[in-house]
Amino acid sequence: MNRNSIGIRQMVEFVLRSGDLNPASTGSQNTALEGSRIHRKLQKEWQQTTKKEVYLKTNFTAVNEEWLLHGRADALHLTENKTYDEVREIKTSALAFEELSENTLTLYFGQAQVYAYILMEENKIDHLTLSLYYFQTTTEKLTVKSIEYTREEATIFYDQLIKKFTWWVEFKAKMRNKRNISSQELTFPFPKYRQSQHELSAAVYKTIYSHQRLFVEAPTGTGKTISTLFPAVKAFGEKRAERIFYLTAKQSTRHVAEEACALMEEHGLVMHAITLTAKDQITFEEEKNLADTKNPYFLGYYDRLKPALEDILSNETVLTRTVIEKYARKHTVDPFEFSLDVSLFCDTIICDYNYLFDPLVYLQRFFSEKNDGNIFLVDEAHNLVQRSRDMYTKEISSGKLDQLLTTCSTKLKSSDKILGNIGNLLDEFEKLKGPMKNYHQDSLIITEEFAGLKNKLQSFSDHLNDWLQENPDSEVFEEMLDYFLNCHSYLKISDFYGPAFKTRLTYDRKTGDLSVKIFCLDPSDLIDEQLQLGGGSILFSATLSPLPYYQEILGGRDNSLAYRLPSPFPPENLAVLVPAYIQTTYQKRAANQDNILAALHLLTLSKKGNYLVFLPSYSYLKTIASAYAQKYPEQKIIQQQNEMDAKQREEFLEYFQKYQSQPVLGFAVLGGIFSEGIDLKGERLSGVAIISVGLPPNDPELDALKDYYFKQNKDGFKYAYQLPGVNNVFQAAGRVIRSETDTGIVMLVDARFNQQRYTRFYPPHWQNYHAVYSSQELKNTLANFWKNK
């Protein structure tokens, strides 16, 4: 589609919308489904006299550029002479027609007015009837409102609409021209490239130029963020890109991307970059307990939006959370919705993976259709494997429904129909419990989707949606809404069900609760589909080994390039040691505990400094940390706790200061919050010990994943267990060397680390790892390493 194109509905809503912010209806998905059903029903009734879903388009010029304005009219009525005499627009919602706001009616008729203008111009028609067919879903009442419309009126309306829209096109064009010119003049914002940085930047630019997909393993210290953002920004000036999406899983990497944008701005770049923050984090505190109808940041939102947009875009370029909040307060607009509206005018959008990949929350304003001008930079791409599986995994529980029924039975009238609907759904759960009870099964994984349950959930969800619309002040509204959203999520993900999915039934004999989970085994096709919505895509991480595995699992099997950079740091600064005499398999941990404690103690004695020990579980962490504290009470130790908040995490890291009189030995969980994304440079960290190869514990869902790949004649154990564990090891090891002057030890405490089935995955700068076979040899090797430093 023409890059300069806009939908009729989109233009009408942007130009004409005023009044209050109306958050997405609780029943947005079901309302859409119901709306589609009503459209089909009415269109079928009219099929003898109307054309349905008629694609209409026209061109207009704005800022010396051609634009395509396009949309689909619901129905066009024909006279006996086969000429058009009526435009019919169908709308559905739970509100009564009399409750619709004036602006809502303006928007509804606005679309029809544009359709009428196009028809009149193309067919030389002087007069048309515009009819709104409004269907109230809760009562199934159809209201028809018609107005007579002349060609002269249509022309005046259309010209005013285009004039108002063109002002914003010109406003955006001025920003784009400044961006493109400054992009052409921008030079790399450092005195020189680090090792491999220029090579990486060139590969990224070529990928964007050729609309390909690139997978890059770039070790810590490469400068991945600036090496990917800089060439993408340069593509603006060459008109090879229109918008960059910098997608990441962690707040820390979002900050790094913000800093890179600010750095390029200091070197002359004029570009608007925005960071999207999750709604629950950016919403003002005073908003959280207010009803929408009493929220001052919602009331009159659209009356203040355009001045707020002009203000922030005219005065700011790097739009961080703090900046968004500042202008949201200034103009009294909701900060989350404001950030989404501002993003339409931004060149770079820094956000979480879910804004592209999660079907429940993705940005429809950007990803409803393919746009080659969108460039995707996916940071820490190794995290996308599990994150994407989680996005396509949802669970529904009979236990929560039982609780809902209990609550509603005491707080609602017995005549309320929703109580019967809850009972009907519980009956469906009971049918599924039968075989579990009869065969004494607590857990079962199958390939069946349970169409009966899905249909009952859909029916219940439809009824519950209507109930929520009719009872916004009910004392059980929040409980109803929670279960409705649960149903909505489950139904949405079930639409993707196929060979790459499984269903798991879990039955709790004590409570009688049955949970039904649909879970995704292989998200590769789903990721590929989303990445195809843009032009070039670059997926990068410090740990992306083996590259073919990540290409396969992240949707790049047949259409991607793979690229591995060497470590930019001197290999002699890192010692990778494997005490091959220590075995940490579950069965042999107890027998090897003394050797593990002694090895950790030798590590801390080899050089005065701070160290981190990573273990595969909290229970094992507590065992080893407690035993170590008892055996070596003189050592200061700290432990990661389960569910630490931001302040506790910060306090944990504060213990790692350089040149302390009493250095610290920290114990943390492998694959947890401290095993990646933390930056303890220089003397703040002298080494890490990783105990065990990090295999996840045996799990029925991982076994299903293993079987899935075995059936494809692949190493299922590697896919399900080994490689996720290896990646966690690589991430934890990456905490040691963070700059060119850092030196340190990575001690891999498990004999398996010396076996070919693991060493074959080691990155190039680990190829000189050293296996030791006794405590004395370990002591000597540690001493020799530090002696040479």
Side-chain angles (χ1 to χ4, degrees):
M1 182 171 288
N2 189 329
R3 180 175 297 174
N4 288 331
S5 69
I6 184 169
I8 290 171
R9 178 176 178 176
Q10 186 182 359
M11 177 187 281
V12 167
E13 290 188 348
F14 178 76
V15 175
L16 299 182
R17 175 162 273 170
S18 63
D20 303 341
L21 173 65
N22 296 313
S25 163
T26 56
S28 57
Q29 173 65 11
N30 288 322
T31 300
L33 293 170
E34 179 70 359
S36 298
R37 184 183 70 80
I38 299 304
H39 274 63
R40 292 192 298 270
K41 179 178 182 293
L42 292 176
Q43 289 167 342
K44 185 177 181 180
E45 292 175 359
W46 301 334
Q47 64 183 358
Q48 300 300 321
T49 57
T50 64
K51 288 185 178 180
K52 63 180 181 179
E53 299 295 332
V54 181
Y55 181 73
L56 296 171
K57 64 179 180 178
T58 188
N59 294 302
F60 66 94
T61 303
V63 199
N64 299 317
E65 292 183 345
E66 283 294 309
W67 279 74
L68 174 70
L69 180 62
H70 59 97
R72 290 188 183 277
D74 292 330
L76 302 178
H77 186 264
L78 298 167
T79 66
E80 292 180 0
N81 297 327
K82 301 299 181 183
T83 59
Y84 297 115
D85 69 344
E86 184 184 15
V87 176
R88 295 179 177 178
E89 184 70 14
I90 305 168
K91 297 296 181 184
T92 62
S93 95
L95 293 176
F97 182 82
E98 296 74 22
E99 296 176 15
L100 297 177
S101 69
E102 183 178 338
N103 183 246
T104 298
L105 290 173
T106 297
L107 297 178
Y108 287 172
F109 274 104
Q111 287 178 248
Q113 287 171 275
V114 177
Y115 297 141
Y117 168 80
I118 297 173
L119 278 175
M120 288 173 166
E121 286 296 305
E122 287 182 352
N123 299 279
K124 308 303 179 187
I125 300 172
D126 294 324
H127 179 275
L128 281 174
T129 299
L130 307 185
S131 295
L132 171 64
Y133 283 72
Y134 180 78
F135 188 89
Q136 184 183 0
T137 55
T138 51
T139 63
E140 299 196 355
K141 178 182 178 182
L142 180 66
T143 303
V144 182
K145 182 176 177 61
S146 299
I147 60 173
E148 301 305 312
Y149 204 52
T150 67
R151 188 173 178 183
E152 181 181 1
E153 289 174 319
T155 302
I156 293 171
F157 172 81
Y158 177 80
D159 288 345
Q160 290 177 342
L161 188 74
I162 296 299
K163 182 179 179 181
K164 291 177 181 177
F165 180 74
T166 298
W167 188 93
W168 287 97
V169 173
E170 291 174 346
F171 181 70
K172 189 172 182 178
K174 290 175 184 176
M175 295 191 299
R176 186 177 66 233
N177 289 337
K178 289 180 181 178
R179 177 201 73 186
N180 290 351
I181 292 171
S182 64
S183 166
Q184 291 170 350
E185 297 172 349
L186 182 69
T187 57
F188 192 66
F190 289 100
K192 64 177 182 177
Y193 286 94
R194 286 183 190 171
Q195 178 185 340
S196 302
Q197 264 190 324
H198 189 274
E199 193 177 349
L200 174 56
S201 293
V204 169
Y205 186 84
K206 290 176 183 176
T207 301
I208 294 170
Y209 185 91
S210 58
H211 293 174
Q212 291 184 290
R213 198 171 300 172
L214 175 66
F215 288 78
V216 181
E217 183 177 67
T220 299
T222 303
K224 298 182 289 295
T225 304
I226 195 65
S227 300
T228 52
L229 266 173
F230 175 70
V233 165
K234 292 296 288 182
F236 285 144
E238 301 301 322
K239 297 185 179 179
R240 297 287 175 182
E242 271 304 310
R243 186 174 277 116
I244 299 167
F245 290 89
Y246 193 95
L247 300 143
T248 180
K250 291 185 169 58
Q251 191 171 342
S252 58
T253 44
R254 289 197 282 276
H255 289 325
V256 174
E258 290 173 349
E259 291 167 359
C261 291
L263 179 63
M264 288 187 285
E265 183 184 57
E266 291 172 10
H267 284 72
L269 179 64
V270 182
M271 175 186 76
H272 286 84
I274 188 170
T275 303
L276 297 181
T277 305
K279 184 174 183 176
D280 61 339
Q281 295 178 29
I282 199 173
T283 299
F284 293 138
E285 278 299 318
E286 61 268 30
E287 286 187 87
K288 292 182 178 178
N289 296 319
L290 288 177
D292 296 344
T293 54
K294 295 183 179 180
N295 186 339
Y297 298 96
F298 281 23
L299 300 176
Y301 174 89
Y302 289 106
D303 299 327
R304 299 184 295 275
L305 174 60
K306 291 185 179 68
L309 289 173
E310 185 179 357
D311 190 10
I312 192 171
L313 292 166
S314 298
N315 294 291
E316 307 285 351
T317 51
V318 181
L319 311 181
T320 61
R321 171 181 173 177
T322 303
V323 173
I324 291 290
E325 289 175 335
K326 172 186 172 182
Y327 283 83
R329 285 198 180 280
K330 179 180 178 181
H331 293 274
T332 319
V333 290
D334 177 75
F336 177 72
E337 293 294 336
F338 182 49
S339 69
L340 295 181
D341 286 322
V342 176
S343 70
L344 287 167
F345 293 86
C346 291
D347 309 297
T348 295
I349 297 175
I350 303 165
C351 59
D352 189 87
Y353 294 153
N354 59 12
Y355 286 105
L356 173 62
F357 297 107
D358 192 330
L360 291 169
V361 296
Y362 80 101
L363 295 172
Q364 293 188 35
R365 63 190 68 201
F366 294 115
F367 305 131
S368 60
E369 59 186 29
K370 180 177 175 60
N371 186 340
D372 286 338
N374 289 338
I375 305 305
F376 301 136
L377 305 180
V378 184
D379 194 2
E380 303 291 351
H382 65 276
N383 284 310
L384 185 56
V385 177
Q386 190 55 47
R387 277 288 300 275
S388 58
R389 286 195 182 113
D390 292 343
M391 290 173 192
Y392 290 91
T393 295
K394 296 299 170 189
E395 187 172 5
I396 197 83
S397 162
S398 69
K400 291 183 178 179
L401 192 61
D402 275 322
Q403 294 171 13
L404 185 64
L405 180 61
T406 301
T407 301
C408 291
S409 296
T410 59
K411 296 182 178 181
L412 296 180
K413 294 180 180 179
S414 58
S415 60
D416 198 315
K417 291 181 180 179
I418 200 66
L419 294 174
N421 290 316
I422 294 175
N424 290 337
L425 183 55
L426 281 171
D427 289 343
E428 188 65 28
F429 274 108
E430 284 299 322
K431 291 179 185 178
L432 297 177
K433 289 180 187 177
M436 305 289 286
K437 294 177 181 178
N438 294 339
Y439 293 99
H440 304 287
Q441 289 179 302
D442 297 325
S443 178
L444 179 66
I445 292 178
I446 57 176
T447 57
E448 185 182 348
E449 188 188 356
F450 294 129
L453 176 64
K454 182 178 178 180
N455 291 336
K456 284 290 179 69
L457 280 172
Q458 185 65 68
S459 176
F460 176 69
S461 186
D462 290 342
H463 287 296
L464 187 50
N465 175 47
D466 293 343
W467 187 94
L468 290 166
Q469 301 289 346
E470 296 168 356
N471 299 276
D473 299 320
S474 171
E475 58 182 322
V476 296
F477 181 87
E478 290 301 325
E479 291 93 330
M480 291 287 205
L481 177 60
D482 285 344
Y483 202 80
F484 171 83
L485 294 175
N486 193 192
C487 291
H488 166 62
S489 299
Y490 184 94
L491 289 167
K492 177 68 175 177
I493 297 306
S494 70
D495 288 340
F496 296 92
Y497 203 96
F501 285 77
K502 293 277 189 182
T503 303
R504 183 178 184 181
L505 296 171
T506 305
Y507 180 57
D508 187 327
R509 297 183 181 280
K510 291 182 180 179
T511 64
D513 180 22
L514 178 72
S515 293
V516 182
K517 178 195 282 190
I518 47 177
F519 63 98
C520 180
L521 299 168
D522 180 6
S524 57
D525 288 341
L526 300 166
I527 294 173
D528 176 53
E529 187 176 327
Q530 292 306 108
L531 291 176
Q532 285 184 34
L533 293 173
S537 300
I538 295 88
L539 297 91
F540 54 99
S541 172
T543 57
L544 220 55
S545 291
L547 273 166
Y549 162 76
Y550 284 99
Q551 283 178 280
E552 177 183 354
I553 208 74
L554 295 178
R557 284 185 292 265
D558 305 318
N559 56 352
S560 66
L561 308 170
Y563 187 50
R564 170 180 278 157
L565 293 170
S567 172
F569 303 138
E572 61 272 15
N573 284 9
L574 177 69
V576 180
L577 305 181
V578 180
Y581 59 94
I582 299 176
Q583 298 187 33
T584 66
T585 58
Y586 188 79
Q587 295 84 355
K588 296 184 179 180
R589 285 177 184 174
N592 280 262
Q593 182 167 298
D594 286 344
N595 281 335
I596 293 170
L597 299 179
L600 295 179
H601 193 52
L602 288 174
L603 180 65
T604 62
L605 292 177
S606 64
K607 176 183 180 294
K608 188 176 182 180
N610 303 313
Y611 295 87
L612 266 172
V613 182
F614 292 99
L615 300 106
S617 68
Y618 280 103
S619 60
Y620 193 33
L621 181 156
K622 291 177 181 178
T623 298
I624 294 298
S626 177
Y628 190 93
Q630 186 174 354
K631 190 168 186 177
Y632 306 105
E634 71 281 2
Q635 174 73 58
K636 181 178 181 179
I637 70 169
I638 56 172
Q639 298 180 47
Q640 175 184 345
Q641 303 299 321
N642 203 353
E643 298 182 1
M644 298 172 77
D645 60 27
K647 184 180 179 182
Q648 291 170 318
R649 293 196 293 268
E650 188 176 332
E651 290 172 348
F652 183 93
L653 295 175
E654 280 297 313
Y655 280 102
F656 293 84
Q657 299 299 328
K658 58 184 179 180
Y659 308 127
Q660 297 183 104
S661 59
Q662 190 178 10
V664 68
L665 177 64
F667 289 85
V669 174
L670 190 63
I673 54 177
F674 298 117
S675 64
E676 61 177 292
I678 64 169
D679 207 14
L680 301 174
K681 291 182 179 179
E683 295 296 324
R684 291 189 67 188
L685 187 68
S686 296
V688 302
I690 300 166
I691 300 177
S692 91
V693 293
L695 294 177
N698 287 336
D699 178 83
E701 292 175 27
L702 289 180
D703 286 341
L705 181 62
K706 179 178 67 175
D707 293 340
Y708 172 81
Y709 283 107
F710 271 138
K711 289 176 181 176
Q712 299 179 38
N713 297 317
K714 296 172 183 174
D715 187 341
F717 177 79
K718 181 177 77 172
Y719 279 74
Y721 287 97
Q722 188 180 20
L723 289 179
V726 166
N727 187 274
N728 287 336
V729 169
F730 290 159
Q731 282 292 322
R735 301 313 96 206
V736 178
I737 303 295
R738 309 299 297 176
S739 72
E740 294 179 8
T741 57
D742 283 4
T743 57
I745 303 282
V746 171
M747 189 166 74
L748 306 174
V749 186
D750 192 310
R752 288 172 290 183
F753 281 121
N754 193 36
Q755 297 172 359
Q756 196 270 337
R757 60 183 174 137
Y758 283 94
T759 60
R760 61 179 171 152
F761 299 127
Y762 288 179
H765 60 286
W766 278 25
Q767 293 308 309
N768 293 324
Y769 79 94
H770 192 122
V772 295
Y773 297 91
S774 68
S775 179
Q776 185 61 45
E777 188 180 359
L778 175 62
K779 180 179 179 180
N780 294 341
T781 305
L782 288 166
N784 289 335
F785 173 78
W786 289 118
K787 180 181 178 182
N788 293 329
K789 303 303 168 199

